[in-house]
Amino acid sequence: MSSVPVNVSSIDDEAAADPRGANLKVWLNGSIVPQDQALISVFDHGLLYGDGCFEGIRLYNGRILKLMSHLDRMYSSAEKIRLKPSYSKEQVAAAIRETIKANNLNDAYIRLIFTRGVGTLGLHPFRCPDPGTIIIVDAIKLYPQELYDQGMRVIVAERPRIPIECLDPAIKSLNYLNNILAKIEAIDADVLEAIMLNTEGEVSECTGDNIFVVTGGRILTPPVSSGILHGITRQFVIDEIGPSCGYEIVEQTLMLEDLYQADEIFLTGTAAEIIGVTEIGDKVIGDGTVGTVTKHLMDEFSKRVKKDAPED
Ligand code: PXG
């Protein structure tokens, strides 16, 4: 067993103890307000029905990683749920920069949220005339470093990923209960992430990360047709990080057996970046250590985001 046991609750405790948490400045519908005054109505359909969408974005060394890709995905999520944002992409980009400045942060997690807005207690989304816009910029909470060095253990959730025809996982909606219930399965098993299969039994993604396998010298990742969020980090790895390390990455349908037989597995996400998986349940992957391909990609990722890489 190579992975490190994790006290799951301690991560949230550390986050709660973050001194910055007490006095953040939040951008709410056009104004910067202290976090204790950043309040929304109990009649907002974002709260009543999870009716809205969001993005998680990273600020590295004062530069926002892939801001335009995140904004494109945000506006695509909004369009798919027929939500007409109150502000243009350019206005939201300016508001994000203003919120970063107000919080005086150089490395941060940016949470952008569109809610359907205030309406009645009925479902009718078009009786909410004024969609809400929220930008939170906070310190980042990362997985413990040991997990990056030694790899993490994950489980396979029993609950399948919600099918595309019910609620397309490509929509980063405010309703994350499918993922949260799978995350609870992970927490109950003393791990931090769960692999989710779709209702056909194909590997889709994890609760908050995309998944890749390295097998016989090839790097494979499930296609969007398996029902996944089109991860910005996933695309960054496919288009830029992989090729600059000399690897071609291919989208291919994967079954659970493909994971068990892989030489290496890694996950990608805005919060997680790139992280190796060394065990799935009681099965060891490859030789049980973070593999050379994964390490190569992790190094290249760090170089690009953490040094003086240009913003794009
Ligand atoms: N799949 C799902 C279901 C996600 O929610 C990803 C894949 C990775 O996508 P990106 O675009 O981030 O590479 C996500 C993203 C958090 C947190 O606070 C979760 C995500 C992103 C940022 C923060 O747990 N998930």
Side-chain angles (χ1 to χ4, degrees), residues 52-72:
C53 52
F54 76 102
E55 277 297 317
I57 311 169
R58 285 285 286 274
L59 179 75
Y60 288 98
N61 195 20
R63 297 178 172 84
I64 305 170
L65 184 64
K66 301 284 175 196
L67 177 59
M68 271 310 144
S69 304
H70 281 286
L71 289 178
D72 287 346

Side-chain angles (χ1 to χ4, degrees), residues 9-227:
S9 62
S10 74
I11 292 168
D12 288 337
D13 293 347
E14 276 168 34
D18 177 4
R20 214 187 276 276
N23 50 26
L24 289 178
K25 302 276 193 298
V26 175
W27 195 96
L28 177 64
N29 298 325
S31 314
I32 297 258
V33 292
Q35 72 171 68
D36 59 358
Q37 288 166 39
L39 306 173
I40 64 160
S41 167
V42 294
F43 292 96
D44 192 309
H45 280 210
L47 173 69
L48 289 174
Y49 299 112
D51 187 355
C53 52
F54 76 102
E55 277 297 317
I57 311 169
R58 285 285 286 274
L59 179 75
Y60 288 98
N61 195 20
R63 297 178 172 84
I64 305 170
L65 184 64
K66 301 284 175 196
L67 177 59
M68 271 310 144
S69 304
H70 281 286
L71 289 178
D72 287 346
R73 187 172 68 184
M74 184 70 169
Y75 281 72
S76 153
S77 292
E79 196 181 332
K80 289 188 180 112
I81 62 169
R82 307 258 313 264
L83 185 157
K84 205 169 166 305
S86 301
Y87 300 91
S88 68
K89 280 185 202 176
E90 292 69 29
Q91 286 171 319
V92 169
I96 289 174
R97 293 187 199 287
E98 189 190 343
T99 318
I100 292 166
K101 228 176 176 176
N103 286 287
N104 197 25
L105 284 165
N106 224 27
D107 289 277
Y109 176 70
I110 301 161
R111 170 67 58 97
L112 168 65
I113 304 157
F114 292 159
T115 73
R116 184 70 70 180
V118 174
T120 63
L121 288 180
L123 282 177
H124 204 317
F126 306 139
R127 293 198 184 126
C128 309
D130 209 3
T133 309
I134 302 166
I135 301 163
I136 305 167
V137 176
D138 199 355
I140 20 171
K141 294 112 199 178
L142 301 171
Y143 286 137
Q145 184 59 39
E146 307 93 86
L147 289 187
Y148 289 91
D149 297 339
Q150 297 178 32
M152 71 192 297
R153 185 160 89 88
V154 303
I155 58 153
V156 180
E158 287 188 12
R159 168 185 319 277
R161 191 79 177 97
I162 202 159
I164 295 174
E165 58 272 31
C166 296
L167 175 60
D168 190 346
I171 302 170
K172 201 163 165 62
S173 90
L174 288 184
N175 195 316
Y176 249 51
L177 280 173
N178 179 226
N179 313 53
I180 289 168
L181 291 173
K183 176 94 176 180
I184 290 172
E185 289 188 50
I187 293 165
D188 284 347
D190 260 336
V191 297
L192 290 173
E193 193 44 294
I195 294 166
M196 301 185 78
L197 309 179
N198 66 21
T199 49
E200 307 294 310
E202 300 164 4
V203 175
S204 60
E205 59 179 339
C206 295
T207 69
D209 301 297
N210 291 111
I211 188 164
F212 292 72
V213 303
V214 182
T215 195
R218 304 177 70 214
I219 309 180
L220 309 171
T221 193
V224 296
S225 58
S226 290

